[in-house]
Amino acid sequence: MTISGKAYIAGIYEHPTRKADDKSLAQLHAEVAKGALEDAGLSKRDVDGYFCAGDAPGLGPLSLVDYMGLKVRHVDATETGGSSYVLHVGHAAEAIAAGKCSVALITLAGRPRAEGMATGTAPRNYGAAAPDVQFEYPFGPTVVNMYAMCAMRHMYEYGTTSQQLAWIKVAASHHAQHNPHALLRDVVTVEEVVASPMIADPLHRLDCCVITDGGGALVVVSLDVAKRLSRPRVKVRGAGEAPKHQMGGKVDLTYSGAVWSGPAAFGEAAVTPADIKYVSIYDSFTITVLMTLEDLGFCAKGQGGKFVADGNLISGTGKLPFNTDGGGLCNNHPANRGGMTKVIEAVRQLRGEAHPKVQVKNCGLALAHGTGGSLGTRHVSATLIMERE
Amino acid sequence: MASAERKFPAPLPNPETKPFWEAAGEGRLLLKRCRSCGEVHYYPRAHCPFCGSGETEWQPASGGGTIYSYSVMRRAEVPYAIAYVTLDEGVTMMTNLVDCDLDAIRIGQRVRLVFKPTEGGPPVPTFTPDESRGIR
Ligand SMILES: [Zn+2]
Protein backbone atom coordinates (compact mmCIF):
# COMPACT_ATOMS: atom_id res chain seq x y z
CA MET A 1 0.00 0.00 0.00
CA THR A 2 1.22 3.49 -0.78
CA ILE A 3 0.04 6.64 0.94
CA SER A 4 0.70 8.72 -2.16
CA GLY A 5 -2.39 10.76 -2.94
CA LYS A 6 -4.42 9.25 -0.08
CA ALA A 7 -4.26 12.24 2.28
CA TYR A 8 -4.17 16.03 2.24
CA ILE A 9 -2.86 18.63 4.66
CA ALA A 10 -5.91 20.83 5.12
CA GLY A 11 -5.07 22.89 8.20
CA ILE A 12 -1.94 24.49 9.62
CA TYR A 13 -1.32 26.78 12.56
CA GLU A 14 1.81 28.17 14.18
CA HIS A 15 1.35 29.75 17.59
CA PRO A 16 2.50 33.39 17.45
CA THR A 17 3.99 33.39 20.96
CA ARG A 18 7.66 32.73 21.55
CA LYS A 19 7.39 32.95 25.35
CA ALA A 20 4.38 31.55 27.14
CA ASP A 21 4.76 32.55 30.78
CA ASP A 22 1.03 32.84 31.30
CA LYS A 23 -0.17 29.63 29.63
CA SER A 24 -0.12 25.95 30.59
CA LEU A 25 1.26 23.28 28.27
CA ALA A 26 -2.15 21.66 27.71
CA GLN A 27 -3.62 25.08 26.99
CA LEU A 28 -1.02 25.66 24.26
CA HIS A 29 -1.89 22.29 22.69
CA ALA A 30 -5.55 23.27 22.64
CA GLU A 31 -4.80 26.71 21.18
CA VAL A 32 -2.79 25.32 18.26
CA ALA A 33 -5.41 22.60 17.67
CA LYS A 34 -8.14 25.23 17.47
CA GLY A 35 -6.03 27.35 15.12
CA ALA A 36 -5.33 24.52 12.67
CA LEU A 37 -8.95 23.34 12.63
CA GLU A 38 -10.19 26.90 11.95
CA ASP A 39 -7.59 27.21 9.17
CA ALA A 40 -9.00 24.05 7.59
CA GLY A 41 -12.62 25.11 8.07
CA LEU A 42 -13.31 22.21 10.42
CA SER A 43 -14.33 21.90 14.06
CA LYS A 44 -13.16 19.62 16.85
CA ARG A 45 -16.24 17.48 16.32
CA ASP A 46 -14.83 16.51 12.92
CA VAL A 47 -11.60 15.13 14.42
CA ASP A 48 -11.51 11.32 14.56
CA GLY A 49 -7.75 10.77 14.78
CA TYR A 50 -5.27 12.37 17.18
CA PHE A 51 -1.46 12.40 17.05
CA CYS A 52 1.06 13.75 19.56
CA ALA A 53 4.59 13.01 20.79
CA GLY A 54 6.92 13.38 23.75
CA ASP A 55 6.17 17.06 24.33
CA ALA A 56 2.59 16.22 25.33
CA PRO A 57 1.86 16.54 29.06
CA GLY A 58 0.75 13.71 31.31
CA LEU A 59 -0.11 10.51 29.52
CA GLY A 60 0.14 12.00 26.03
CA PRO A 61 -2.93 11.25 23.94
CA LEU A 62 -4.79 9.99 27.01
CA SER A 63 -4.40 13.33 28.75
CA LEU A 64 -4.88 15.55 25.71
CA VAL A 65 -7.98 13.99 24.14
CA ASP A 66 -9.48 14.29 27.64
CA TYR A 67 -8.40 17.95 28.03
CA MET A 68 -9.59 18.95 24.56
CA GLY A 69 -12.77 16.89 24.74
CA LEU A 70 -12.01 14.93 21.58
CA LYS A 71 -13.91 11.81 20.59
CA VAL A 72 -11.58 9.91 18.25
CA ARG A 73 -11.28 6.37 16.89
CA HIS A 74 -7.52 6.42 16.26
CA VAL A 75 -4.55 7.65 18.33
CA ASP A 76 -0.80 7.57 17.65
CA ALA A 77 1.88 8.88 19.99
CA THR A 78 4.99 7.83 18.07
CA GLU A 79 7.90 9.62 19.72
CA THR A 80 10.98 10.31 17.61
CA GLY A 81 11.97 13.65 19.14
CA GLY A 82 11.75 16.69 16.91
CA SER A 83 11.12 14.66 13.77
CA SER A 84 7.90 13.24 15.25
CA TYR A 85 5.51 15.68 13.55
CA VAL A 86 6.97 15.19 10.08
CA LEU A 87 6.64 11.45 10.64
CA HIS A 88 3.11 11.86 12.01
CA VAL A 89 1.92 13.24 8.67
CA GLY A 90 2.98 10.00 7.02
CA HIS A 91 1.41 7.94 9.79
CA ALA A 92 -1.81 9.98 9.56
CA ALA A 93 -1.88 9.37 5.81
CA GLU A 94 -1.47 5.63 6.47
CA ALA A 95 -4.31 5.66 8.99
CA ILE A 96 -6.52 7.57 6.54
CA ALA A 97 -5.63 5.22 3.69
CA ALA A 98 -6.55 2.28 5.93
CA GLY A 99 -9.88 3.85 6.86
CA LYS A 100 -8.95 4.28 10.52
CA CYS A 101 -9.79 7.99 10.52
CA SER A 102 -10.59 10.79 8.07
CA VAL A 103 -9.62 13.94 9.99
CA ALA A 104 -6.31 13.60 11.85
CA LEU A 105 -5.14 16.31 14.23
CA ILE A 106 -1.41 16.58 15.09
CA THR A 107 -0.29 18.95 17.86
CA LEU A 108 2.99 20.16 19.35
CA ALA A 109 3.51 22.62 22.20
CA GLY A 110 6.09 23.52 24.79
CA ARG A 111 7.41 26.20 27.10
CA PRO A 112 11.17 25.61 27.57
CA ARG A 113 11.86 29.37 27.82
CA ALA A 114 9.22 29.94 30.46
CA GLU A 115 10.64 26.98 32.37
CA GLY A 116 14.23 28.22 31.99
CA MET A 117 15.55 24.88 30.71
CA ALA A 118 19.25 24.66 29.72
CA THR A 119 18.12 22.72 26.71
CA GLY A 120 21.25 22.72 24.61
CA THR A 121 24.13 22.74 27.05
CA ALA A 122 23.08 20.40 29.90
CA PRO A 123 23.35 16.60 29.65
CA ARG A 124 20.11 14.74 30.25
CA ASN A 125 19.97 11.60 32.37
CA TYR A 126 17.28 9.14 31.34
CA GLY A 127 18.10 6.68 34.14
CA ALA A 128 19.75 3.29 34.63
CA ALA A 129 17.20 1.41 32.55
CA ALA A 130 18.20 3.31 29.40
CA PRO A 131 20.88 0.96 28.03
CA ASP A 132 23.02 3.73 26.57
CA VAL A 133 22.92 6.35 29.32
CA GLN A 134 25.47 4.85 31.74
CA PHE A 135 28.05 4.73 28.95
CA GLU A 136 27.37 8.30 27.85
CA TYR A 137 25.93 10.53 30.57
CA PRO A 138 29.13 10.66 32.69
CA PHE A 139 30.94 12.15 29.68
CA GLY A 140 28.64 15.16 29.41
CA PRO A 141 26.85 14.63 26.10
CA THR A 142 24.65 17.66 25.38
CA VAL A 143 22.57 18.50 22.37
CA VAL A 144 25.18 20.96 21.14
CA ASN A 145 28.36 18.91 21.56
CA MET A 146 26.78 15.83 19.99
CA TYR A 147 25.99 17.76 16.79
CA ALA A 148 29.37 19.48 17.11
CA MET A 149 31.16 16.14 16.88
CA CYS A 150 29.37 15.50 13.56
CA ALA A 151 30.48 18.92 12.33
CA MET A 152 34.05 18.29 13.47
CA ARG A 153 34.24 14.97 11.61
CA HIS A 154 32.57 16.46 8.51
CA MET A 155 35.19 19.22 8.47
CA TYR A 156 37.97 16.64 8.87
CA GLU A 157 36.75 14.39 6.06
CA TYR A 158 35.50 16.94 3.53
CA GLY A 159 37.19 20.22 4.37
CA THR A 160 33.90 21.87 5.32
CA THR A 161 34.50 25.27 6.95
CA SER A 162 32.85 27.35 9.66
CA GLN A 163 32.24 30.04 7.02
CA GLN A 164 30.29 27.56 4.87
CA LEU A 165 28.17 26.51 7.85
CA ALA A 166 27.56 30.18 8.65
CA TRP A 167 25.90 30.70 5.24
CA ILE A 168 23.02 28.55 6.45
CA LYS A 169 22.33 30.96 9.32
CA VAL A 170 22.79 33.92 6.97
CA ALA A 171 20.12 32.54 4.61
CA ALA A 172 17.71 31.85 7.49
CA SER A 173 18.20 35.40 8.78
CA HIS A 174 17.47 36.85 5.33
CA HIS A 175 14.11 35.10 5.47
CA ALA A 176 13.39 35.87 9.13
CA GLN A 177 13.56 39.63 8.55
CA HIS A 178 10.19 39.35 6.79
CA ASN A 179 8.53 37.26 9.53
CA PRO A 180 6.97 39.51 12.20
CA HIS A 181 6.79 36.58 14.64
CA ALA A 182 10.43 35.51 14.25
CA LEU A 183 12.44 35.59 17.47
CA LEU A 184 15.56 36.84 15.65
CA ARG A 185 14.84 39.26 12.80
CA ASP A 186 18.24 40.85 12.22
CA VAL A 187 20.07 39.87 9.04
CA VAL A 188 23.48 38.50 10.01
CA THR A 189 26.70 38.07 8.06
CA VAL A 190 29.09 35.14 7.80
CA GLU A 191 31.58 37.15 9.84
CA GLU A 192 29.04 37.73 12.62
CA VAL A 193 28.21 34.04 12.85
CA VAL A 194 31.85 33.01 13.02
CA ALA A 195 32.59 35.77 15.56
CA SER A 196 29.75 34.74 17.88
CA PRO A 197 30.82 32.91 21.07
CA MET A 198 31.92 29.31 20.73
CA ILE A 199 29.49 26.98 22.48
CA ALA A 200 31.01 23.59 21.61
CA ASP A 201 33.75 23.54 18.95
CA PRO A 202 33.18 24.02 16.07
CA LEU A 203 29.63 25.30 16.66
CA HIS A 204 29.17 28.96 17.57
CA ARG A 205 26.13 30.42 19.25
CA LEU A 206 24.72 31.53 15.88
CA ASP A 207 25.12 27.99 14.51
CA CYS A 208 22.44 26.96 17.03
CA CYS A 209 18.66 27.22 16.77
CA VAL A 210 16.59 29.42 19.03
CA ILE A 211 14.81 28.21 22.16
CA THR A 212 11.14 29.15 22.03
CA ASP A 213 7.78 28.46 23.62
CA GLY A 214 4.60 27.98 21.65
CA GLY A 215 3.77 25.24 19.20
CA GLY A 216 1.89 24.30 16.09
CA ALA A 217 -0.69 21.95 14.69
CA LEU A 218 -1.63 20.19 11.46
CA VAL A 219 -4.88 18.72 10.17
CA VAL A 220 -4.51 15.84 7.73
CA VAL A 221 -7.66 14.69 5.94
CA SER A 222 -8.97 12.19 3.39
CA LEU A 223 -9.67 13.21 -0.21
CA ASP A 224 -13.42 13.17 0.50
CA VAL A 225 -13.01 15.66 3.34
CA ALA A 226 -10.50 17.75 1.37
CA LYS A 227 -12.99 18.13 -1.50
CA ARG A 228 -15.53 19.76 0.85
CA LEU A 229 -13.05 22.36 2.08
CA SER A 230 -12.29 25.70 0.46
CA ARG A 231 -8.51 25.92 1.06
CA PRO A 232 -5.90 25.03 -1.59
CA ARG A 233 -5.30 21.28 -1.54
CA VAL A 234 -1.86 20.06 -0.44
CA LYS A 235 -1.43 16.41 -1.23
CA VAL A 236 0.85 14.02 0.66
CA ARG A 237 2.96 12.44 -2.09
CA GLY A 238 5.54 10.43 -0.17
CA ALA A 239 6.98 9.80 3.26
CA GLY A 240 10.02 8.03 4.64
CA GLU A 241 11.39 7.43 8.11
CA ALA A 242 14.61 5.87 9.36
CA PRO A 243 16.47 5.55 12.65
CA LYS A 244 20.25 5.73 12.78
CA HIS A 245 22.38 4.91 15.84
CA GLN A 246 25.91 3.97 16.87
CA MET A 247 25.65 0.60 15.14
CA GLY A 248 27.22 -1.41 17.95
CA GLY A 249 30.31 0.77 17.89
CA LYS A 250 30.73 1.11 14.11
CA VAL A 251 30.19 4.83 14.53
CA ASP A 252 30.07 6.97 11.37
CA LEU A 253 29.09 10.58 12.03
CA THR A 254 29.38 11.74 8.43
CA TYR A 255 25.81 10.91 7.40
CA SER A 256 22.31 10.84 8.88
CA GLY A 257 19.24 8.65 8.61
CA ALA A 258 18.16 10.88 5.72
CA VAL A 259 20.19 8.60 3.45
CA TRP A 260 17.38 6.08 4.01
CA SER A 261 14.30 8.22 4.72
CA GLY A 262 14.98 10.37 1.64
CA PRO A 263 14.99 7.63 -1.00
CA ALA A 264 11.90 6.08 0.62
CA ALA A 265 10.00 9.37 0.33
CA PHE A 266 11.28 10.22 -3.15
CA GLY A 267 10.47 6.69 -4.32
CA GLU A 268 6.93 6.81 -3.00
CA ALA A 269 6.37 10.27 -4.49
CA ALA A 270 8.02 9.19 -7.76
CA VAL A 271 10.03 12.40 -7.96
CA THR A 272 13.71 13.34 -7.61
CA PRO A 273 15.50 16.10 -5.69
CA ALA A 274 15.69 18.10 -8.94
CA ASP A 275 11.87 18.31 -9.00
CA ILE A 276 11.64 19.94 -5.55
CA LYS A 277 10.97 23.71 -5.60
CA TYR A 278 11.27 24.42 -1.88
CA VAL A 279 12.73 22.60 1.15
CA SER A 280 12.05 22.89 4.88
CA ILE A 281 15.14 21.30 6.40
CA TYR A 282 15.40 20.60 10.12
CA ASP A 283 17.81 23.19 11.43
CA SER A 284 18.60 22.46 15.05
CA PHE A 285 22.13 23.47 14.02
CA THR A 286 23.71 24.62 10.79
CA ILE A 287 25.47 21.25 10.44
CA THR A 288 22.09 19.48 10.56
CA VAL A 289 21.04 21.34 7.41
CA LEU A 290 24.30 20.77 5.57
CA MET A 291 24.37 17.02 6.20
CA THR A 292 20.68 16.61 5.43
CA LEU A 293 20.98 18.35 2.05
CA GLU A 294 23.80 15.95 1.14
CA ASP A 295 21.99 12.89 2.48
CA LEU A 296 18.76 13.73 0.63
CA GLY A 297 20.73 14.02 -2.63
CA PHE A 298 20.50 17.75 -3.27
CA CYS A 299 24.28 17.66 -3.70
CA ALA A 300 27.02 15.05 -3.57
CA LYS A 301 28.34 13.81 -0.22
CA GLY A 302 30.93 16.21 1.09
CA GLN A 303 29.82 19.02 -1.24
CA GLY A 304 27.30 20.51 1.21
CA GLY A 305 29.63 23.34 2.18
CA LYS A 306 29.96 24.55 -1.40
CA PHE A 307 26.24 23.99 -2.00
CA VAL A 308 25.07 26.28 0.81
CA ALA A 309 27.71 28.99 0.39
CA ASP A 310 27.17 32.36 -1.31
CA GLY A 311 23.48 32.60 -0.49
CA ASN A 312 22.35 29.51 -2.36
CA LEU A 313 19.60 28.82 0.18
CA ILE A 314 18.11 32.34 -0.04
CA SER A 315 14.70 32.55 -1.68
CA GLY A 316 14.62 34.58 -4.88
CA THR A 317 18.34 34.44 -5.59
CA GLY A 318 19.62 31.03 -4.46
CA LYS A 319 19.28 27.72 -6.23
CA LEU A 320 17.36 25.97 -3.42
CA PRO A 321 15.21 28.18 -1.16
CA PHE A 322 14.97 26.75 2.36
CA ASN A 323 13.23 27.59 5.65
CA THR A 324 11.59 30.76 4.39
CA ASP A 325 9.96 31.45 7.78
CA GLY A 326 13.43 31.89 9.28
CA GLY A 327 13.45 28.28 10.47
CA GLY A 328 14.58 27.08 13.85
CA LEU A 329 17.76 29.09 13.46
CA CYS A 330 15.91 32.44 13.57
CA ASN A 331 12.15 32.08 13.84
CA ASN A 332 10.83 29.33 16.07
CA HIS A 333 11.87 25.94 17.49
CA PRO A 334 8.93 25.39 19.85
CA ALA A 335 9.45 22.84 22.63
CA ASN A 336 12.98 22.25 21.25
CA ARG A 337 11.30 20.37 18.41
CA GLY A 338 11.45 21.85 14.94
CA GLY A 339 9.53 19.25 12.91
CA MET A 340 6.13 20.88 13.17
CA THR A 341 7.18 24.27 11.84
CA LYS A 342 9.00 22.56 8.96
CA VAL A 343 5.72 21.11 7.66
CA ILE A 344 3.80 24.35 8.32
CA GLU A 345 6.10 26.55 6.22
CA ALA A 346 6.20 23.98 3.41
CA VAL A 347 2.38 24.06 3.29
CA ARG A 348 2.41 27.88 3.26
CA GLN A 349 4.78 27.76 0.29
CA LEU A 350 2.60 25.27 -1.59
CA ARG A 351 -0.53 27.34 -0.92
CA GLY A 352 1.26 30.51 -2.02
CA GLU A 353 0.72 31.91 1.49
CA ALA A 354 4.36 32.49 2.47
CA HIS A 355 5.47 36.10 2.89
CA PRO A 356 5.59 37.72 -0.60
CA LYS A 357 9.28 38.54 -0.10
CA VAL A 358 10.14 34.84 0.31
CA GLN A 359 7.36 33.09 -1.63
CA VAL A 360 8.81 30.70 -4.21
CA LYS A 361 7.30 31.17 -7.67
CA ASN A 362 5.25 28.24 -9.00
CA CYS A 363 5.93 26.24 -5.86
CA GLY A 364 4.21 22.99 -6.78
CA LEU A 365 6.36 20.46 -4.97
CA ALA A 366 7.98 20.83 -1.54
CA LEU A 367 9.90 18.71 0.91
CA ALA A 368 9.96 18.82 4.70
CA HIS A 369 12.55 16.94 6.70
CA GLY A 370 12.91 16.26 10.42
CA THR A 371 15.89 15.04 12.46
CA GLY A 372 14.81 13.98 15.94
CA GLY A 373 17.01 12.91 18.82
CA SER A 374 20.74 13.50 18.52
CA LEU A 375 22.67 13.37 15.27
CA GLY A 376 25.80 12.31 17.18
CA THR A 377 24.25 9.30 18.94
CA ARG A 378 20.80 8.12 17.87
CA HIS A 379 18.14 9.88 15.87
CA VAL A 380 15.19 9.32 13.58
CA SER A 381 15.04 11.03 10.21
CA ALA A 382 11.66 11.72 8.63
CA THR A 383 11.15 13.00 5.08
CA LEU A 384 7.86 14.21 3.66
CA ILE A 385 7.07 15.26 0.09
CA MET A 386 3.98 17.36 -0.58
CA GLU A 387 2.36 18.69 -3.76
CA ARG A 388 0.00 21.54 -4.53
CA GLU A 389 -2.94 20.02 -6.40
CA MET B 1 46.29 22.14 30.91
CA ALA B 2 42.75 22.64 32.11
CA SER B 3 42.73 24.83 35.20
CA ALA B 4 40.26 22.70 37.15
CA GLU B 5 39.33 19.03 37.17
CA ARG B 6 35.96 18.19 35.74
CA LYS B 7 33.70 16.28 38.14
CA PHE B 8 32.26 13.13 36.58
CA PRO B 9 28.72 12.11 37.54
CA ALA B 10 28.42 8.48 38.61
CA PRO B 11 27.31 5.95 36.00
CA LEU B 12 24.26 3.89 36.97
CA PRO B 13 25.07 0.18 36.52
CA ASN B 14 22.27 -2.33 36.05
CA PRO B 15 22.39 -6.14 36.31
CA GLU B 16 23.41 -6.48 32.65
CA THR B 17 26.42 -4.14 32.98
CA LYS B 18 27.62 -4.82 36.54
CA PRO B 19 30.76 -6.71 35.38
CA PHE B 20 31.80 -3.75 33.22
CA TRP B 21 31.71 -1.34 36.15
CA GLU B 22 33.29 -3.82 38.58
CA ALA B 23 36.22 -4.18 36.15
CA ALA B 24 36.37 -0.40 35.80
CA GLY B 25 36.83 -0.28 39.56
CA GLU B 26 39.93 -2.45 39.04
CA GLY B 27 41.21 -0.24 36.22
CA ARG B 28 40.23 -2.60 33.40
CA LEU B 29 38.16 -1.71 30.32
CA LEU B 30 35.95 -4.57 29.17
CA LEU B 31 34.30 -5.01 25.79
CA LYS B 32 31.67 -7.51 24.74
CA ARG B 33 32.46 -10.08 22.04
CA CYS B 34 29.89 -12.34 20.40
CA ARG B 35 30.62 -16.08 20.56
CA SER B 36 28.34 -16.67 17.60
CA CYS B 37 29.53 -14.15 14.97
CA GLY B 38 32.83 -13.13 16.58
CA GLU B 39 32.13 -9.37 16.41
CA VAL B 40 33.13 -7.03 19.21
CA HIS B 41 30.58 -4.32 20.02
CA TYR B 42 30.21 -1.20 22.15
CA TYR B 43 28.42 -0.11 24.32
CA PRO B 44 28.32 -3.58 25.92
CA ARG B 45 25.08 -5.55 25.96
CA ALA B 46 23.90 -9.10 26.58
CA HIS B 47 22.55 -9.52 23.05
CA CYS B 48 24.85 -9.09 20.07
CA PRO B 49 23.64 -6.07 18.06
CA PHE B 50 25.01 -7.65 14.88
CA CYS B 51 23.56 -11.17 14.85
CA GLY B 52 21.16 -11.13 17.81
CA SER B 53 22.86 -13.97 19.65
CA GLY B 54 22.54 -14.01 23.44
CA GLU B 55 25.97 -15.68 23.69
CA THR B 56 28.23 -12.71 24.38
CA GLU B 57 31.34 -12.67 26.57
CA TRP B 58 33.49 -10.01 28.21
CA GLN B 59 37.00 -9.43 26.92
CA PRO B 60 39.60 -6.87 28.02
CA ALA B 61 40.52 -3.95 25.75
CA SER B 62 44.16 -3.08 25.12
CA GLY B 63 43.51 0.54 26.11
CA GLY B 64 44.91 2.09 22.95
CA GLY B 65 42.89 4.06 20.44
CA THR B 66 42.57 6.92 17.98
CA ILE B 67 40.39 10.05 18.20
CA TYR B 68 37.50 9.72 15.72
CA SER B 69 35.85 13.04 16.60
CA TYR B 70 35.61 15.43 19.53
CA SER B 71 34.18 18.72 20.70
CA VAL B 72 35.27 21.02 23.50
CA MET B 73 32.24 22.11 25.50
CA ARG B 74 32.98 25.74 26.32
CA ARG B 75 29.66 26.40 28.07
CA ALA B 76 30.33 24.39 31.20
CA GLU B 77 31.60 25.18 34.68
CA VAL B 78 34.80 23.40 33.68
CA PRO B 79 35.20 23.14 29.89
CA TYR B 80 35.66 19.53 28.79
CA ALA B 81 36.35 17.54 25.65
CA ILE B 82 33.80 14.92 24.70
CA ALA B 83 35.01 12.50 22.07
CA TYR B 84 34.49 9.34 20.14
CA VAL B 85 37.61 7.18 20.34
CA THR B 86 38.09 4.23 18.02
CA LEU B 87 39.74 1.47 20.03
CA ASP B 88 42.38 -0.78 18.53
CA GLU B 89 39.76 -3.57 18.80
CA GLY B 90 37.74 -1.72 16.13
CA VAL B 91 34.84 -0.30 18.13
CA THR B 92 34.24 3.41 18.67
CA MET B 93 33.17 4.60 22.12
CA MET B 94 31.98 7.86 23.63
CA THR B 95 34.40 9.20 26.22
CA ASN B 96 36.24 12.30 27.43
CA LEU B 97 39.75 13.44 26.58
CA VAL B 98 41.57 14.42 29.78
CA ASP B 99 44.87 15.70 31.17
CA CYS B 100 45.73 17.62 28.01
CA ASP B 101 45.57 21.02 26.32
CA LEU B 102 41.98 21.16 25.06
CA ASP B 103 43.01 23.43 22.19
CA ALA B 104 45.62 20.97 20.91
CA ILE B 105 43.31 17.98 20.40
CA ARG B 106 43.17 16.64 16.84
CA ILE B 107 41.21 13.96 15.03
CA GLY B 108 43.52 11.02 14.31
CA GLN B 109 45.60 11.55 17.45
CA ARG B 110 46.67 8.40 19.32
CA VAL B 111 45.26 8.12 22.84
CA ARG B 112 45.50 5.75 25.79
CA LEU B 113 43.08 4.72 28.49
CA VAL B 114 42.99 6.43 31.87
CA PHE B 115 40.22 5.89 34.42
CA LYS B 116 38.80 8.91 36.25
CA PRO B 117 36.93 8.80 39.58
CA THR B 118 33.24 9.71 39.64
CA GLU B 119 31.05 11.28 42.30
CA GLY B 120 29.97 8.28 44.36
CA GLY B 121 30.24 5.61 41.65
CA PRO B 122 32.74 3.44 39.79
CA PRO B 123 35.44 5.23 37.74
CA VAL B 124 34.83 5.95 34.05
CA PRO B 125 37.11 5.18 31.09
CA THR B 126 38.60 8.34 29.59
CA PHE B 127 41.56 8.85 27.27
CA THR B 128 44.63 11.05 27.14
CA PRO B 129 46.97 11.77 24.21
CA ASP B 130 49.61 9.04 23.89
CA GLU B 131 52.75 11.07 23.30
CA SER B 132 54.79 7.96 22.59
CA ARG B 133 52.68 7.04 19.56
CA GLY B 134 52.13 10.40 17.80
CA ILE B 135 49.52 10.98 15.12
CA ARG B 136 48.47 8.12 12.90
ZN1 LIG C 1 26.90 -11.78 16.98
Side-chain angles (χ1 to χ4, degrees):
Chain A
M1 184 187 84
T2 175
I3 60 162
S4 199
K6 303 283 174 56
Y8 292 76
I9 302 177
I12 56 170
Y13 184 76
E14 180 181 4
H15 204 294
T17 194
R18 299 293 178 267
K19 194 154 193 291
D21 286 321
D22 54 348
K23 291 179 193 295
S24 81
L25 183 51
Q27 183 181 6
L28 289 168
H29 274 275
E31 287 184 3
V32 295
K34 193 166 188 293
L37 287 165
E38 281 173 5
D39 179 61
L42 292 164
S43 86
K44 82 180 179 77
R45 284 179 300 280
D46 298 309
V47 176
D48 59 359
Y50 178 64
F51 294 67
C52 64
D55 58 283
L59 295 169
L62 283 70
S63 295
L64 285 176
V65 294
D66 179 353
Y67 180 90
M68 292 191 275
L70 296 175
K71 176 79 178 77
V72 299
R73 57 192 176 104
H74 186 82
V75 290
D76 183 336
T78 306
E79 161 64 355
T80 65
S83 61
S84 300
Y85 321 90
V86 180
L87 174 148
H88 285 166
V89 175
H91 287 198
E94 288 168 18
I96 288 166
K100 301 292 182 186
C101 59
S102 59
V103 176
L105 170 68
I106 307 167
T107 67
L108 157 87
R111 46 202 304 284
R113 284 184 81 200
E115 289 161 13
M117 291 167 66
T119 51
T121 54
R124 285 180 237 179
N125 188 345
Y126 295 97
D132 39 62
V133 161
Q134 60 192 297
F135 301 103
E136 296 176 10
Y137 179 72
F139 304 116
T142 70
V143 178
V144 190
N145 64 10
M146 286 299 95
Y147 283 77
M149 282 203 284
C150 297
M152 194 70 90
R153 187 71 198 185
H154 203 281
M155 290 175 164
Y156 175 81
E157 294 218 16
Y158 304 115
T160 307
T161 66
S162 290
Q163 284 73 16
Q164 290 172 332
L165 286 176
W167 271 110
I168 295 165
K169 179 73 160 199
V170 170
S173 76
H174 267 269
H175 299 146
Q177 67 178 315
H178 305 298
N179 181 353
H181 299 301
L183 188 73
L184 307 177
R185 294 189 65 193
D186 291 340
V187 176
V188 298
T189 64
V190 167
E191 291 70 29
E192 284 168 331
V193 177
V194 174
S196 66
M198 192 67 89
I199 304 295
D201 309 47
L203 297 180
H204 305 81
R205 181 192 280 157
L206 294 186
D207 285 301
C208 307
C209 67
V210 298
I211 296 169
T212 49
D213 299 350
L218 303 167
V219 180
V220 184
V221 304
S222 66
L223 175 60
D224 285 348
V225 174
K227 279 179 178 165
R228 288 194 272 119
L229 303 173
S230 56
R231 308 289 268 132
R233 284 215 288 269
V234 172
K235 183 196 280 183
V236 177
R237 279 283 301 260
E241 61 195 60
K244 179 173 179 267
H245 47 70
Q246 296 174 5
M247 300 176 290
K250 297 183 192 294
V251 174
D252 186 340
L253 299 182
T254 60
Y255 68 96
S256 73
V259 297
W260 303 305
S261 66
F266 283 117
E268 189 165 48
V271 298
T272 70
D275 300 318
I276 302 290
K277 299 285 189 264
Y278 164 80
V279 292
S280 281
I281 303 290
Y282 203 91
D283 55 349
S284 43
F285 300 94
T286 51
I287 184 64
T288 323
V289 175
L290 187 136
M291 281 175 56
T292 304
L293 289 169
E294 294 177 348
D295 295 342
L296 290 176
F298 288 101
C299 62
K301 192 72 213 172
Q303 296 301 303
K306 289 194 184 97
F307 186 81
V308 302
D310 305 321
N312 275 322
L313 299 178
I314 298 175
S315 186
T317 55
K319 56 188 168 195
L320 184 66
F322 103 121
N323 297 12
T324 43
D325 58 339
L329 288 168
C330 295
N331 168 34
N332 194 10
H333 196 75
N336 307 311
R337 290 158 171 257
M340 177 62 76
T341 49
K342 295 296 156 290
V343 180
I344 289 173
E345 182 67 2
V347 171
R348 289 193 194 111
Q349 280 287 350
L350 291 166
R351 286 176 172 179
E353 293 176 356
H355 190 283
K357 296 278 191 191
V358 299
Q359 176 66 48
V360 174
K361 287 191 186 74
N362 306 316
C363 187
L365 199 63
L367 176 148
H369 182 87
T371 309
S374 167
L375 200 55
T377 51
R378 51 198 68 80
H379 63 273
V380 170
S381 294
T383 311
L384 181 68
I385 296 169
M386 295 152 281
E387 181 185 24
R388 164 78 179 263
E389 198 169 78
Chain B
M1 287 289 163
S3 54
E5 279 276 297
R6 161 172 150 74
K7 289 193 174 73
F8 290 88
L12 301 168
N14 64 34
E16 186 183 4
T17 62
K18 212 162 146 259
F20 179 93
W21 294 112
E22 281 172 358
E26 299 158 6
R28 295 183 300 126
L29 174 62
L30 295 187
L31 305 174
K32 265 285 178 99
R33 185 182 167 279
C34 176
R35 283 201 202 108
S36 178
C37 72
E39 289 263 15
V40 176
H41 67 258
Y42 195 87
Y43 58 88
R45 60 205 87 173
H47 290 265
C48 172
F50 300 111
C51 76
S53 164
E55 298 293 310
T56 56
E57 62 191 3
W58 297 101
Q59 74 163 48
S62 67
T66 305
I67 298 173
Y68 172 77
S69 195
Y70 71 97
S71 174
V72 179
M73 188 67 199
R74 308 283 173 181
R75 284 304 166 99
E77 211 167 299
V78 181
Y80 60 94
I82 197 161
Y84 275 114
V85 164
T86 304
L87 303 181
D88 294 344
E89 288 77 13
V91 289
T92 299
M93 64 180 281
M94 188 185 294
T95 185
N96 279 177
L97 301 172
V98 299
D99 304 334
C100 62
D101 178 358
L102 297 181
D103 296 320
I105 296 167
R106 295 291 175 263
I107 288 176
Q109 219 172 349
R110 285 293 301 176
V111 290
R112 62 181 166 79
L113 177 68
V114 41
F115 277 95
K116 286 286 179 184
T118 64
E119 294 181 301
V124 289
T126 65
F127 290 80
T128 193
D130 188 349
E131 309 300 349
S132 65
R133 304 282 295 273
I135 292 177
R136 182 155 84 172

